[in-house]
Amino acid sequence: MLKVTKIQVEMLKNEANRTRSFNDGHRVFTRYEAIAAHIWRCACRARGHRYEQPTGLAICLDIRNRVQPPLPQNFFGNAIVDVVATGRCSGDLVTRPSGYAASKMVSFCVCQVPDGR
């Protein structure tokens, strides 16, 4: 189990936002996005991937507010979809700042699960 303190989470989030690409959108990364990107980078490093080794990150996305027609207000259950961000070289994720990994993960997921509105 990965245990991180509130301070460590904020440090990861601040680092991802400080090192983000300028062309990846205008909103800040969430805590979830910063932690997921950090884990993705650490997994690539721990596995000893070659620089050009393809890698992927599987995450679940909440689509409750994205589906059309909208779900009923009293909908009970999971409204999630599995998305796998792929096609990234492990070396890019490991050698570039954490903002790079977060931006690649977020931009891929946004393309895969567009806003249904």
Side-chain angles (χ1 to χ4, degrees), residues 38-114:
H38 177 70
I39 291 170
W40 194 9
R41 294 175 74 223
C42 288
C44 291
R45 188 175 294 124
R47 290 177 180 144
H49 286 174
R50 298 179 319 276
Y51 185 94
E52 64 280 353
Q53 173 74 39
T55 183
L57 176 70
I59 59 174
C60 294
L61 296 177
D62 178 8
I63 60 168
R64 187 174 300 272
N65 296 322
R66 294 176 182 246
V67 294
Q68 288 298 327
L71 294 171
Q73 287 292 333
N74 60 350
F75 176 79
F76 181 78
N78 295 325
I80 59 172
V81 63
D82 294 331
V83 177
V84 180
T86 59
R88 308 287 173 244
C89 291
S90 293
D92 281 344
L93 295 177
V94 172
T95 60
R96 294 187 182 188
S98 60
Y100 175 81
S103 66
K104 294 304 171 192
M105 177 186 65
V106 170
S107 64
F108 186 86
C109 292
V110 167
C111 290
Q112 290 296 307
V113 185

Side-chain angles (χ1 to χ4, degrees), residues 1-14:
M1 175 176 296
L2 176 67
K3 293 185 179 188
V4 291
T5 66
K6 288 182 180 182
I7 293 171
Q8 290 170 324
V9 170
E10 288 306 311
M11 289 172 58
L12 288 171
K13 182 180 173 187
N14 291 339

